[in-house]
Amino acid sequence: MNLAMLTSQIPLIELGVITSFVLMHFARIFLGLSQSSIAGTFFIVVCTILLLLPFNSLGAPWSLPLVAYVRGVTGELSIITMLLILFTWSSAPVYRLSSVTPLIIALTSILFYPFALGLTMFDPYSWGYGSIIFVVAVMMMALLFFFTKHSWEALMISLAVIAWSIHWHEATNLWDYLLDPFLAVWAIIISIRWIIWGRPEPHTYSAWDIDSSVLARRKQGKIFS
């Protein structure tokens, strides 16, 4: 496999790893998979290989790797979505979002998608095609997170901008590296949850798990406190 062929496979490899993380998360919840790093790493490696295998060469009825069909449903996830999955669903519980981060993403999504879908003549999506002002604004947001000691958010935004600048994905619009519908839905749900029930305590918290707060507070008898 030459370099060009390997580069063309990066989106599938990337999505294969992310899908494996998601499957590992649900396997831990519903199947009791061990929380150890060794078990998690083994699961991710095996699952990623299976997702990338060319089953058609083995006589299977489908002509593409399984991950290609996943990509057909999800499209290319934003860099921030993938980093959230990697950080929060890995075996290292060190990642904790700022309380304001989901709210910022939710408000941005609510304002962005109606305009981007053509409901008005105003189209913020066009800013993502190399607008210097937009790029500077995004980097200023990263700096704001950094100087307010929210380094994870600053890191995610910076990596998204870097990925866009080197054309890591097929997309050429910076918005596609920052935001996607899955991230928007998650941010809106978790923002509503935190507003109504409050943010869970660190020992019961999973930044990406949209059910953990309600369940944890219900167990502690604090669901309305």
Side-chain angles (χ1 to χ4, degrees):
M1 179 180 291
N2 57 37
L3 181 60
M5 291 180 62
L6 179 61
T7 302
S8 67
Q9 296 301 310
I10 284 178
L12 290 182
I13 297 172
E14 184 180 71
L15 186 57
V17 173
I18 296 300
T19 303
S20 299
F21 267 89
V22 174
L23 292 175
M24 179 187 69
H25 178 72
F26 287 111
R28 285 175 169 174
I29 293 175
F30 298 111
L31 302 178
L33 180 70
S34 172
Q35 298 285 334
S36 72
S37 300
I38 296 176
T41 302
F42 179 77
F43 182 93
I44 290 169
V45 170
V46 172
C47 193
T48 302
I49 292 173
L50 290 175
L51 287 168
L52 293 170
L53 278 179
F55 282 100
N56 60 316
S57 62
L58 303 176
W62 50 84
S63 58
L64 297 172
L66 292 176
V67 70
Y69 296 99
V70 175
R71 188 185 184 196
V73 174
T74 65
E76 285 187 345
L77 300 176
S78 67
I79 296 297
I80 290 182
T81 296
M82 291 189 290
L83 291 175
L84 276 170
I85 292 173
L86 292 176
F87 286 151
T88 62
W89 286 356
S90 66
S91 299
V94 296
Y95 181 76
R96 184 167 170 83
L97 283 174
S98 163
S99 297
V100 75
T101 300
L103 186 59
I104 291 174
I105 297 173
L107 290 175
T108 301
S109 303
I110 292 170
L111 294 173
F112 170 74
Y113 278 108
F115 291 120
L117 292 173
L119 297 183
T120 69
M121 296 297 292
F122 178 63
D123 182 17
Y125 188 73
S126 62
W127 300 347
Y129 290 111
S131 169
I132 298 299
I133 295 176
F134 180 59
V135 175
V136 170
V138 171
M139 292 308 301
M140 290 297 292
M141 176 64 73
L143 286 173
L144 180 62
F145 274 121
F146 179 77
F147 286 115
T148 54
K149 299 182 179 180
H150 300 307
S151 55
W152 285 112
E153 286 86 346
L155 175 64
M156 289 192 298
I157 295 173
S158 300
L159 290 177
V161 173
I162 292 171
W164 167 75
S165 67
I166 63 175
H167 304 290
W168 182 257
H169 288 165
E170 294 179 1
T172 57
N173 192 299
L174 179 55
W175 280 111
D176 295 322
Y177 292 80
L178 297 171
L179 192 63
D180 61 64
F182 296 100
L183 181 62
V185 170
W186 166 79
I188 292 170
I189 291 174
I190 203 171
S191 296
I192 293 172
R193 185 193 72 181
W194 286 359
I195 290 171
I196 296 175
W197 288 290
R199 187 172 184 174
E201 297 302 320
H203 67 280
T204 62
Y205 175 70
S206 170
W208 192 264
D209 187 351
I210 62 175
D211 295 322
S212 63
S213 176
V214 175
L215 294 177
R217 296 173 75 84
R218 183 180 296 159
K219 289 176 181 177
Q220 298 171 12
K222 301 188 209 175
I223 193 166
F224 297 113
S225 60

